[in-house]
């Protein structure tokens, strides 16, 4: 009797387990419509926001300023301003790797594909690229001690593909992001991509914007600042349901002080992932499934005002589907869909087909079924990814100048704290030279690094040098140029000084 009872119990548990597996069934046509809507929505959004990218830092775009859109704008922009579409051609770099090597493509294939691509990069992407080209493997090339831009928006604007190829499977999207997102980001910067991928994934399961956002947030650890920031936006939306500008002000007051990105520290410029993700969520929540309102709000929030409406437009496009994107926003889209994005061989028409192929492969791999035109997806309950924190225990406290040596072959400065970032540049825009500055970094008279600083813009180092984990105290730094050049410029910027405690601005001003 005990054996029978045990067997019955096991059967009941097994039945209960199967009952907990939620499935949804879409026609192949519907699945394809949503995938196309996601890719088209991105393209529309980035085109719309392009003229305002980082033109409104620390402020929003006023209602009195009309935003540009006209028939033929898409085609004109793709042909004449192809560099605008970095969040698209970066996505397509990774899509192409999956297409060439399959869903189990090794990490190095993704890292090498973008590191050796011909397009210019910035912030976390460029820092990651430089690290890879100088022998550092992923995921260390995105880790914050090796990448001052670890919390920047980069993977957040490139993660669309992970969700679009994982419909209803946010944890599968997170696994893709774990592999690829750590090539260039860490901590909150990585969480931005995980969150975006999850929103795309959940867009296949519900038409409720609030549900899509809140469910996707479950993939982010609650103790992270990224989670707290987005959770605040959800709460402020409930408190101020008709006042997106009030929520913008609340985000500005609580979350707008960047501590990592050297371009955003002590400056109104903010490319931090969580702040720009907040603007994406504001566009989605306050947009209320209206495509125009969604793009307008995400753009008018400012900062990365092309990438944010691109993300919001892509997620809403996946929720609505391609066919339901208003005709006003698809003006000229057909003419643009067969134009390959620069630096790639892929157009929107190509990625519509490839995206559906990868989604179907992923669905079958993760317990779903394809029965003719009926696609059954085993929907996943979102689970939080691992906890990471960039710039843990360090705080920017001041900026100081540097001094050139009399011979113009060395940069010198002294500071008191636990770390520094020396800003500067050795590459002019579009420079393709092979010349590389050889340097030596001395801290307290000890050689700690010998950075190679290319004069080539595509392979440049985003900052000259940095060090975060020094013992607290006074330090002396010298960056010596071993091979000075009269032909190529070596421009030194300011030094951001870090310490183990934040400075109270009011008290600092009184001293």
């Amino acid at each position: 009797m005990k054996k029978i009872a045990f067997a019955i119990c096991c059967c009941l548990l097994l039945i209960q387990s199967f009952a907990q597996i939620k499935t949804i069934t879409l026609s192949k046509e519907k699945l394809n419509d949503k995938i196309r809507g996601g890719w088209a929505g991105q393209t529309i959004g980035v085109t719309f926001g392009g003229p305002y990218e980082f033109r409104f830092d620390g402020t929003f775009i006023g209602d009195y300023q009309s935003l540009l859109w006209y028939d033929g704008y898409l085609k004109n922009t793709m042909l004449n301003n192809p560099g605008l579409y970095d969040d698209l051609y970066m996505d397509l770099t990774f899509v192409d790797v999956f297409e060439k090597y399959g869903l189990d493509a090794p990490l190095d294939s993704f890292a090498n594909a973008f590191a050796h691509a011909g397009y210019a990069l910035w912030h976390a992407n460029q820092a990651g690229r430089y690290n890879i080209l100088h022998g550092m493997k992923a995921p260390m090339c995105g880790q914050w001690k090796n990448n001052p831009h670890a919390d920047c928006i980069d993977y957040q604007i490139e993660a669309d593909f992970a969700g679009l190829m994982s419909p209803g499977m946010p944890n599968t999207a997170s696994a893709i992001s774990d592999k690829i997102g750590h090539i260039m980001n860490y901590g909150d910067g990585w969480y931005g991509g995980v969150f975006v991928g999850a929103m795309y994934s959940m867009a296949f399961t519900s038409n409720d914007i609030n549900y899509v956002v809140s469910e996707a947030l479950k993939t982010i650890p609650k103790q992270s600042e990224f989670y707290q920031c987005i959770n605040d936006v959800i709460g402020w939306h409930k408190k101020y349901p008709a006042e997106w500008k009030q929520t913008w002000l609340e985000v500005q007051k609580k979350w707008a002080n960047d501590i990592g990105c050297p371009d955003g520290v002590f400056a109104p410029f903010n490319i931090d992932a969580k702040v720009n993700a907040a603007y994406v969520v504001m566009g989605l929540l306050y947009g209320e499934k209206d495509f125009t309102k969604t793009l307008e709000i995400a753009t008018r929030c400012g900062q990365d005002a092309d990438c944010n409406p691109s993300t919001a437009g892509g997620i809403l496009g996946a929720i609505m589907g391609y066919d339901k994107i208003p005709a006003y926003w698809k003006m000229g889209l057909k003419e643009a869909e067969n134009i390959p994005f620069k630096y790639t061989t892929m157009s929107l028409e190509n990625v519509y087909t490839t995206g559906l192929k990868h989604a179907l492969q992923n669905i079958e791999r993760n317990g779903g079924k394809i029965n003719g035109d009926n696609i059954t997806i085993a929907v996943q309950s979102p689970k939080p990814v691992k906890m990471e924190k960039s710039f843990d225990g360090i705080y920017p406290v001041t900026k100081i100048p540097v001094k050139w040596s009399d011979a113009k072959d060395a940069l010198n400065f002294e500071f008191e704290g636990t770390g520094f970032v020396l800003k500067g540049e050795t590459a002019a825009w579009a420079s393709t030279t092979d010349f590389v500055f050889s340097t030596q970094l001395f801290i307290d008279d000890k050689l700690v690094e010998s950075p190679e600083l290319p004069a080539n813009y595509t392979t440049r180092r985003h900052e000259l040098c940095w060090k975060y984990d020094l013992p607290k105290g006074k330090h002396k730094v010298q960056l010596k140029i071993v091979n000075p050049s009269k032909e190529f410029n070596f421009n030194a910027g300011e030094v951001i000084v870090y310490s183990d405690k934040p400075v109270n601005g009011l008290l600092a001003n009184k001293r």
Side-chain angles (χ1 to χ4, degrees):
M1 288 295 292
K2 289 182 179 180
K3 290 183 179 180
I4 295 173
F6 178 75
I8 293 173
C9 183
C10 288
C11 288
L12 289 173
L13 288 172
L14 191 61
I15 292 170
Q16 185 180 16
S17 176
F18 280 118
Q20 289 175 348
I21 299 176
K22 179 183 175 182
T23 62
I24 58 171
T25 300
L26 302 174
S27 67
K28 186 177 290 187
E29 181 182 3
K30 184 67 173 178
L31 179 66
N32 187 43
D33 184 52
K34 283 179 166 288
I35 291 170
R36 292 174 71 219
W39 287 107
Q42 289 179 69
T43 308
I44 293 166
V46 72
T47 307
F48 178 62
Y52 319 102
E53 179 188 16
F54 293 115
R55 300 291 180 88
F56 294 83
D57 298 342
T59 186
F60 50 71
I61 304 174
D63 294 338
Y64 71 93
Q65 180 170 344
S66 60
L67 305 181
L68 187 66
W69 193 254
Y70 60 85
D71 194 3
Y73 189 27
L74 272 165
K75 181 178 180 180
N76 178 55
T77 307
M78 288 187 70
L79 290 175
N80 297 311
N81 188 16
L84 173 67
Y85 297 93
D86 52 345
D87 35 353
L88 269 297
Y89 54 67
M90 282 293 296
D91 276 63
L92 298 183
T93 298
F94 303 131
V95 170
D96 187 53
V97 171
F98 278 120
E99 180 64 6
K100 288 178 178 176
Y101 305 112
L103 296 186
D104 294 318
L107 173 57
D108 284 350
S109 61
F110 296 100
N112 290 327
F114 106 98
H116 292 91
Y119 41 68
L121 292 171
W122 295 268
H123 294 272
N125 280 330
Q126 183 61 23
R129 166 188 273 175
Y130 176 91
N131 287 340
I132 293 165
L133 293 177
H134 289 78
M136 188 178 293
K137 297 284 189 178
M140 293 308 296
C141 51
Q143 207 270 352
W144 67 273
K145 289 187 179 181
N146 304 317
N147 189 330
H149 300 272
D151 276 347
C152 289
I153 197 175
D154 301 59
Y155 184 62
Q156 180 170 298
I157 70 173
E158 300 152 10
D160 316 71
F161 76 95
L164 287 170
M165 68 184 290
S166 308
M169 300 176 289
N171 303 324
T172 299
S174 294
I176 294 170
S177 292
D178 189 16
K179 175 187 284 188
I180 299 174
H182 280 114
I183 295 172
M184 68 291 290
N185 284 102
Y186 185 85
D188 282 354
W190 174 55
Y191 292 149
V194 172
F195 178 56
V196 165
M199 283 196 287
Y200 272 101
S201 184
M202 299 310 298
F204 291 85
T205 70
S206 175
N207 293 324
D208 184 338
I209 291 284
N210 292 275
Y211 176 83
V212 168
V213 171
S214 60
E215 284 296 294
L217 190 57
K218 292 179 181 179
T219 62
I220 309 301
K222 290 183 177 181
Q223 62 268 47
S224 69
E225 289 190 357
F226 189 96
Y227 179 98
Q228 293 164 27
C229 177
I230 302 305
N231 193 53
D232 278 346
V233 172
I234 294 170
W236 288 325
H237 172 249
K238 292 176 181 177
K239 187 175 181 179
Y240 311 112
E243 298 291 340
W244 72 263
K245 292 173 187 173
Q246 183 62 49
T247 294
W248 184 97
L249 287 167
E250 298 297 339
V251 171
Q252 186 72 10
K253 286 190 292 184
K254 186 172 181 179
W255 295 110
N257 292 328
D258 198 347
I259 69 167
C261 174
D263 299 306
V265 173
F266 304 134
F269 175 90
N270 195 304
I271 200 170
D272 182 74
K274 62 180 174 290
V275 169
N276 285 276
Y279 298 158
V280 171
V281 171
M282 286 167 59
L284 290 168
L285 296 181
Y286 284 98
E288 299 176 318
K289 289 180 64 177
D290 180 301
F291 207 83
T292 299
K293 285 176 63 178
T294 298
L295 293 194
E296 283 253 354
I297 292 170
T299 302
R300 290 186 184 277
C301 283
Q303 299 293 358
D304 204 344
D306 64 331
C307 293
N308 296 332
S310 180
T311 302
I315 292 164
L316 183 56
I319 290 172
M320 299 170 65
Y322 182 97
D323 290 342
K324 290 185 178 179
I325 295 176
Y328 174 79
W329 291 103
K330 289 191 289 189
M331 290 190 302
L333 181 60
K334 285 293 182 185
E335 296 177 357
E337 284 178 326
N338 63 355
I339 301 173
F341 289 95
K342 192 173 181 180
Y343 311 108
T344 80
T345 59
M346 299 183 75
S347 65
L348 279 172
E349 288 287 1
N350 297 142
V351 78
Y352 294 158
T353 302
T354 306
L356 175 62
K357 174 185 174 182
H358 294 168
L360 292 172
Q361 291 173 344
N362 231 358
I363 288 168
E364 283 195 302
R365 170 175 285 208
N366 289 277
K369 293 182 180 180
I370 300 172
N371 185 12
D373 286 333
N374 292 320
I375 314 299
T376 300
I377 300 170
V379 177
Q380 299 170 351
S381 297
K383 296 179 180 179
V385 296
K386 60 190 174 186
M387 178 61 196
E388 297 179 349
K389 183 173 174 57
S390 303
F391 310 104
D392 192 17
I394 69 167
Y395 304 89
V397 292
T398 191
K399 287 183 178 181
I400 60 174
V402 295
K403 295 180 180 180
W404 280 99
S405 65
D406 292 339
K408 300 294 183 181
D409 63 351
L411 296 166
N412 301 281
F413 62 93
E414 296 181 2
F415 73 95
E416 184 171 359
T418 61
F420 70 90
V421 176
L422 173 56
K423 298 174 64 177
E425 57 189 11
T426 57
W429 167 248
S431 170
T432 58
T433 179
D434 292 331
F435 181 79
V436 176
F437 286 99
S438 296
T439 68
Q440 294 176 326
L441 176 63
F442 294 89
I443 301 178
D444 300 327
D445 298 320
K446 294 180 180 179
L447 178 65
V448 297
E449 186 187 9
S450 298
E452 295 182 346
L453 303 178
N456 182 306
Y457 196 81
T458 304
T459 60
R460 76 198 187 284
R461 202 182 206 194
H462 212 290
E463 282 72 39
L464 300 179
C465 57
W466 61 89
K467 192 72 173 175
Y468 292 119
D469 52 358
L470 297 171
K472 187 176 182 180
K474 294 182 179 181
H475 299 282
K476 181 174 65 174
V477 179
Q478 181 183 69
L479 182 65
K480 183 175 178 58
I481 306 170
V482 177
N483 58 338
S485 170
K486 294 182 179 180
E487 182 180 357
F488 300 101
N489 292 326
F490 193 111
N491 297 314
E494 57 201 354
V495 179
I496 299 172
V497 176
Y498 287 85
S499 193
D500 60 343
K501 293 180 181 178
V503 171
N504 184 310
L506 292 175
L507 293 177
N509 289 336
K510 290 179 180 179
R511 288 199 291 270

